[in-house]
């Protein structure tokens, strides 16, 4: 009798112990399942856009240059997909930059020429790539040339006082930025005196505030800033969008730091061509430094990197096999180098004849990071499926318009007849002066644009002219 209650209590203890053990196992399994589910969720890729200024199709050795050594860019291009038919948003600076950030043709904002650093600006309230990526949880930063308005002293000083001012990078979706002062008399004087790169560090603005002078080369300063931001984001475990816009190789032509200058001096190169080549090699080395940082901290494999140029080459640059250059709407002015790298997603050592456009970068990047709430009125399309190895994507007519620049910013005379508009549909390219057709080319047969077929293809000509007519008369959101 005395032993029965003890046995009963022991049984209860055993049952309770088994029950508790079962609950603990269940909790552990649930937790592990959640952790496995979390671990299987893909990590959002970091995104870096590397934009050169006035770099021509023929200025990289990976695109056929026999005069400039670009080993780091060539190596980077070999790790992804290289485009042979990629187009900038314009043949001059500001329109292309607006196109890149908005996914729309520049005329949608009535931007028809390079800004003069006066009152022109990308309209406030515009939907931009950094705004969308910030909504997706990304840290965003702009470094380098901006040229979209709002960086004159009167603008950033007014914003510090919370007074009305033209918008700058912060107002267009960037959490932080580092640029030069962009306005008279500073930038024009630096360009005129050929001191933009060697003394640009004297006139820096970070997040709407002047910062102390930096004696380093402006190209080095940009990459130093980028490396510091990347390290901070990595420590904070934050996905980031870095918009790194170089001034190189835009004028003024200045001697780049060693060893880049002496390398070409030994080849007998002189004058502005010597400085130009040294500047491109210096840019190449700095991009190599940036890529080394990504690899050393272990995030290179989860970073989507896009390299391109804002328009075709200026005075010392090369358009490769094409006619024209900066300020001109023939292929040399708007067809630019572009490659995309994303290890494990974009096939390495690949190239494509897919027609791409600067307006495509916004929707492509948004799809890559898994953000699907993009505006429905974009002119660009996502190229992500093609970048991952898919079929060529059919697309609508591509359109360009810019004010007439009679002064040609490349070598030799500007090609004639002059054109201010272009419509591109498949292999057919129509150039027009306003809405009056001037040339029609079959780019598959004639990529050098030598044989004008105007008048020989009336149906093609009409379709392209009608598209230009609609484009010119569509609503615009101007900065005025």
């Amino acid at each position: 009798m005395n032993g029965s209650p003890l046995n009963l209590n022991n049984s209860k203890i055993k049952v309770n112990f088994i029950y508790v053990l079962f609950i603990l196992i269940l909790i552990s399994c649930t937790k592990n399942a959640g952790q496995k589910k979390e671990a299987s969720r893909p990590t959002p890729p970091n995104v870096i856009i590397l934009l050169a200024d006035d770099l021509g199709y023929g200025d990289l050795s990976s695109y056929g240059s026999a005069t400039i050594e670009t080993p780091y860019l060539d190596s980077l291009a070999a790790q992804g997909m290289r485009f042979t038919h990629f187009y900038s948003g314009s043949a001059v600076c500001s329109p292309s930059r607006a196109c890149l950030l908005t996914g729309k043709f520049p005329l949608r904002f009535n931007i028809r020429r390079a800004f003069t650093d006066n009152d022109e600006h990308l309209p406030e309230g515009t939907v931009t790539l950094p705004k969308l990526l910030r909504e997706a949880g990304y840290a965003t930063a702009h470094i380098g040339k901006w040229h979209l308005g709002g960086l004159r002293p009167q603008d950033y000083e007014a914003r510090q006082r919370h007074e009305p001012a033209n918008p700058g990078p912060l107002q267009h979706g960037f959490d932080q930025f580092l640029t030069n002062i962009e306005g008279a008399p500073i930038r024009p004087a630096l360009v005129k005196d050929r001191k933009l790169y060697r003394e640009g560090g004297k006139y820096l603005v970070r997040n709407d505030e002047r910062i102390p002078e930096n004696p380093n080369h402006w190209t080095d300063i940009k990459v130093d800033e980028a490396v510091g931001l990347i390290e901070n984001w990595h420590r904070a475990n934050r996905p980031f969008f870095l918009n790194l816009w170089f001034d190189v190789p835009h004028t003024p032509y200045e001697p780049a730091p060693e060893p880049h200058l002496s390398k070409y001096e030994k080849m007998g190169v002189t004058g502005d061509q010597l400085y130009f080549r040294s500047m491109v090699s210096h840019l190449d080395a700095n991009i190599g430094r940036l890529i080394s940082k990504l690899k050393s901290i272990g995030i290179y494999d989860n970073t989507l990197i896009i390299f391109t140029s804002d328009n075709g080459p200026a005075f010392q640059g090369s358009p490769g096999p094409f006619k024209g250059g900066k300020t001109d709407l023939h292929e040399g002015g708007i067809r630019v180098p572009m490659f995309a790298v994303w290890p494990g997603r974009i096939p390495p050592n690949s190239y494509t004849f897919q027609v791409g456009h600067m307006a495509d970068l916004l929707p492509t990047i948004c799809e890559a990071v898994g953000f699907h709430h993009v505006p429905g009125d974009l002119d660009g399309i996502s190229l992500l499926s093609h970048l991952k190895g898919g079929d060529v994507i059919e697309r609508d007519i591509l359109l360009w318009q810019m004010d007439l620049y009679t002064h040609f910013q490349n070598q030799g005379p500007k090609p004639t007849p002059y054109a201010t508009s272009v419509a591109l549909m498949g292999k057919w390219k129509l150039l027009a002066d306003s809405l009056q057709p001037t040339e029609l080319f079959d780019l598959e047969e004639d990529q050098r644009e030598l044989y004008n077929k105007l008048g020989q293809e009336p149906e093609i000509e009409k379709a392209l002219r009608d598209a230009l007519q609609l484009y010119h008369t569509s609503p615009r959101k101007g900065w005025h």
Side-chain angles (χ1 to χ4, degrees):
M1 294 291 296
N2 291 336
S4 297
L6 181 60
N7 291 337
L8 182 61
N9 289 338
N10 286 341
S11 299
K12 288 181 178 179
I13 290 171
K14 290 179 181 178
V15 171
N16 290 338
F17 175 76
I18 293 171
Y19 176 75
V20 171
L21 183 62
F22 173 77
I23 295 298
L24 290 174
I25 293 171
L26 183 63
I27 292 172
S28 176
C29 290
T30 304
K31 183 178 179 181
N32 289 337
Q35 289 174 340
K36 288 179 181 178
K37 184 178 180 181
E38 187 69 28
S40 65
R41 187 178 301 160
T43 304
N46 307 303
V47 179
I48 299 177
I49 293 179
L50 303 171
L51 184 70
D53 193 335
D54 292 0
L55 185 79
Y57 191 95
D59 286 330
L60 300 179
S61 44
S62 54
Y63 275 80
S65 174
T67 60
I68 305 176
E69 297 176 1
T70 52
Y72 296 102
L73 282 166
D74 299 341
S75 174
L76 184 61
Q79 297 170 53
M81 181 176 288
R82 182 165 53 91
F83 278 66
T84 60
H85 291 66
F86 190 84
Y87 290 93
S88 60
S90 179
V92 291
C93 177
S94 301
S96 280
R97 294 164 190 270
C99 177
L100 188 157
L101 288 183
T102 65
K104 295 183 178 182
F105 299 141
L107 195 63
R108 308 295 188 197
F109 306 99
N110 206 31
I111 302 176
R112 308 187 310 273
R113 62 183 303 117
F115 286 170
T116 60
D117 294 331
N118 289 310
D119 277 333
E120 313 105 316
H121 57 270
L122 185 63
E124 194 157 9
T126 298
V127 177
T128 63
L129 177 58
K131 285 182 181 178
L132 298 175
L133 292 182
R134 191 162 65 181
E135 188 177 337
Y138 276 66
T140 61
H142 172 83
I143 299 173
K145 184 174 180 178
W146 175 245
H147 216 182
L148 287 172
L151 289 180
R152 302 171 300 175
Q154 60 261 47
D155 290 316
Y156 62 76
E157 290 172 0
R159 290 195 292 267
Q160 291 173 12
R161 299 190 298 267
H162 304 288
E163 296 174 357
N166 292 342
L170 297 180
Q171 290 69 46
H172 285 300
F174 290 103
D175 298 327
Q176 48 196 317
F177 74 86
L178 176 72
T179 69
N180 286 128
I181 293 174
E182 294 187 355
I186 293 171
R187 182 149 73 177
L190 287 173
V191 173
K192 179 177 178 293
D193 297 338
R194 295 196 177 209
K195 294 180 178 179
L196 174 65
Y197 297 100
R198 290 169 291 174
E199 297 189 8
K202 293 181 178 180
Y203 306 97
L204 298 178
V205 182
R206 180 187 284 126
N207 305 333
D208 281 347
E209 294 185 359
R210 284 295 305 276
I211 63 174
E213 294 182 6
N214 187 325
N216 295 327
H217 192 281
W218 179 213
T219 303
D220 294 329
I221 292 170
K222 292 186 184 82
V223 176
D224 290 343
E225 184 82 358
V227 166
L229 288 176
I230 288 169
E231 289 174 336
N232 292 338
W233 290 323
H234 179 57
R235 283 193 292 268
N237 196 29
R238 285 204 67 184
F240 62 82
F241 167 49
L242 174 61
N243 197 49
L244 182 49
W245 288 0
F246 296 94
D247 295 70
V248 173
H250 192 289
T251 54
Y253 299 126
E254 300 178 37
E258 292 296 354
H260 308 290
L261 186 70
S262 61
K263 173 168 60 179
Y264 296 105
E265 282 181 320
K266 294 174 183 176
M267 299 178 186
V269 185
T270 60
D272 283 347
Q273 181 63 205
L274 169 63
Y275 296 158
F276 174 81
R277 294 189 196 183
S278 74
M279 291 163 65
V280 176
S281 282
H282 185 220
L283 169 67
D284 178 70
N286 267 288
I287 290 177
R289 184 159 65 95
L290 181 72
I291 300 305
S292 292
K293 172 56 64 173
L294 296 175
K295 290 180 177 179
S296 70
I297 61 177
I299 62 173
Y300 173 74
D301 286 345
N302 194 42
T303 302
L304 170 60
I305 303 168
I306 295 171
F307 176 90
T308 190
S309 177
D310 64 342
N311 46 248
F315 308 100
Q316 294 296 322
S318 169
F322 304 117
K323 177 196 292 187
K326 183 178 180 180
T327 73
D328 177 64
L329 288 170
H330 290 93
E331 292 294 279
I334 55 176
R335 198 189 292 202
V336 292
M338 182 278 200
F339 56 81
V341 178
W342 189 8
R345 282 79 166 183
I346 297 175
N349 296 305
S350 57
Y351 69 92
T352 177
F353 298 116
Q354 167 76 53
V355 173
H357 188 279
M358 198 163 275
D360 299 336
L361 298 186
L362 183 151
T364 299
I365 290 170
C366 284
E367 185 179 2
V369 306
F371 184 79
H372 303 294
H373 305 294
V374 297
D377 60 348
L378 300 180
D379 293 307
I381 62 172
S382 175
L383 299 175
L384 186 65
S385 63
H386 183 72
L387 284 169
K388 290 184 173 182
D391 294 335
V392 170
I393 301 171
E394 297 294 329
R395 63 182 314 146
D396 292 335
I397 297 173
L398 292 173
L399 300 159
W400 289 262
Q401 192 280 335
M402 55 184 278
D403 288 351
L404 177 63
Y405 285 75
T406 56
H407 176 56
F408 186 39
Q409 294 188 28
N410 201 253
Q411 301 170 34
K414 184 172 183 176
T416 54
Y418 295 151
T420 56
S421 299
V422 166
L424 178 67
M425 179 177 66
K427 67 178 184 177
W428 293 105
K429 179 180 179 182
L430 179 74
L431 293 96
D433 183 5
S434 294
L435 293 174
Q436 183 61 43
T438 57
E439 295 176 297
L440 178 68
F441 296 108
D442 178 345
L443 294 180
E444 283 187 3
E445 296 181 355
D446 179 25
Q447 67 174 1
R448 296 175 185 267
E449 297 172 292
L450 300 176
Y451 306 105
N452 186 1
K453 294 196 172 186
L454 198 65
Q456 299 178 33
E457 299 285 346
E459 293 184 5
I460 295 294
E461 190 176 321
K462 181 180 185 307
L464 293 175
R465 186 174 183 179
D466 288 350
L468 282 177
Q469 173 71 41
L470 180 62
Y471 181 46
H472 277 247
T473 57
S474 295
R476 310 177 188 182
K477 181 182 179 181
W479 53 268
H480 298 278

